[in-house]
Amino acid sequence: MPKVSLAAAFLSVMCLSPAYTQDLCNDAHMKQMDQMIAEMTDAAKQKEATAALDQSKAAMQKGDTAGCMKYMDVAHKAMGL
């Protein structure tokens, strides 16, 4: 649990800081999000987070940073971040 809390705190700081906003739309962060979602225990929230992350990844592939961040925010909220 502390591992998840530390990751949540780190992601929260990154989300609140404009300098890091674009850094969330990259393959490394997507991989981290996949791992965190896989560790979720609430199936409904996990499904919601997975769907949002899939949309975020699709937007990233299109080069749509605003769309990527929009769905990343939805995924973060579903994860309780």
Side-chain angles (χ1 to χ4, degrees):
M1 189 69 168
K3 185 184 203 180
V4 174
S5 297
L6 181 60
F10 177 71
L11 288 173
S12 296
V13 169
M14 287 179 59
C15 288
L16 295 174
S17 175
Y20 293 107
T21 304
Q22 291 183 357
D23 291 344
L24 295 178
C25 287
N26 59 56
D27 291 329
H29 187 70
M30 295 298 180
K31 185 176 179 179
Q32 179 184 18
M33 291 286 292
D34 281 329
Q35 182 179 10
M36 291 172 70
I37 290 171
E39 294 171 356
M40 292 175 68
T41 56
D42 184 328
K45 290 290 184 181
Q46 185 181 41
K47 183 177 178 179
E48 182 183 347
T50 299
L53 188 62
D54 288 344
Q55 291 176 305
S56 182
K57 288 178 183 178
M60 183 181 78
Q61 293 299 321
K62 294 178 186 174
D64 177 9
T65 303
C68 176
M69 289 306 299
K70 173 185 167 188
Y71 291 112
M72 180 71 66
D73 186 48
V74 173
H76 285 167
K77 287 179 182 173
M79 295 169 68
L81 303 178

